[in-house]
Amino acid sequence: MDTKKNIEKIRLLKEKVSDWHKLSDGELFLALKEFEKTPRLEVSIYYQDLFNDPKFSQTLLDIYNKNKDVTKLVVLLVSAIGNMIQRYDLPETKGIYEFMLENSNKSNIGPYVALFLPRFKHFESYDEKWEYFMNIKKMSPKK
């Protein structure tokens, strides 16, 4: 029963986020804040189709491209996409990799990217990976 409720909740959140052009900045942030929690819930095969959706991940990248300067929103996008890849086998695209790489050294975003980026297939051939690893400890927050 809880799984059915969660599936419906996630589906509705995806629909709301997919219509992000119709939302105010505040509504978009709240919708993404609520959605970001869902891929972090306990892993279940029942959620696989909901989170393994390349079209939806492109929607999240489109949101990023219009909101690159909103740090809190970008952190939510990094977490959502990262968990969708890590926990639900969302296909890693060049666009997703570039999104993560672009934010890898940004203040207050980089530590979240560091949770996911080293596990990316594209990262294996990244020319500056050892320099990146050495800089992770310098990233804020230091708490």
Side-chain angles (χ1 to χ4, degrees):
M1 187 67 167
D2 286 336
T3 302
K4 286 184 180 182
K5 285 181 184 177
N6 282 340
I7 289 171
E8 184 61 15
K9 178 182 173 186
I10 295 166
R11 191 185 63 72
L12 291 172
L13 279 169
K14 281 181 65 177
E15 283 180 19
K16 187 172 188 175
V17 171
S18 292
D19 286 336
W20 66 278
H21 288 94
K22 298 176 183 175
L23 302 174
S24 70
D25 291 346
E27 290 170 329
L28 175 60
F29 180 80
L30 291 175
L32 279 172
K33 186 175 180 179
E34 193 62 29
F35 176 78
E36 182 273 337
K37 296 174 188 175
T38 59
R40 291 189 290 119
L41 294 173
E42 71 280 357
V43 178
S44 171
I45 60 170
Y46 300 110
Y47 305 147
Q48 189 74 23
D49 290 341
L50 294 166
F51 296 127
N52 192 343
D53 182 352
K55 184 178 176 187
F56 185 71
S57 68
Q58 184 56 52
T59 298
L60 296 177
L61 292 177
D62 292 343
I63 292 170
Y64 166 71
N65 286 326
K66 297 288 184 188
N67 297 278
K68 290 182 179 190
D69 57 337
V70 184
T71 300
K72 289 181 179 182
L73 189 113
V74 175
V75 167
L76 294 174
L77 293 169
V78 166
S79 177
I81 292 171
N83 279 303
M84 289 165 65
I85 287 175
Q86 189 171 307
R87 301 173 111 210
Y88 292 97
D89 300 321
L90 173 71
E92 177 189 321
T93 64
K94 184 178 178 188
I96 291 173
Y97 173 70
E98 289 172 352
F99 156 71
M100 291 289 189
L101 198 59
E102 183 177 326
N103 288 286
S104 64
N105 292 311
K106 289 185 180 175
S107 178
N108 298 318
I109 302 172
Y112 297 95
V113 173
L115 297 171
F116 305 107
L117 183 61
R119 296 184 178 126
F120 277 41
K121 291 175 186 141
H122 287 89
F123 189 75
E124 292 172 13
S125 61
Y126 180 51
D127 292 339
E128 300 172 25
K129 76 174 138 192
W130 296 116
E131 182 179 324
Y132 175 74
F133 284 131
M134 297 307 290
N135 287 325
I136 286 177
K137 68 180 180 178
K138 298 175 188 171
M139 292 180 188
S140 63
K142 297 183 186 212
K143 294 179 184 175

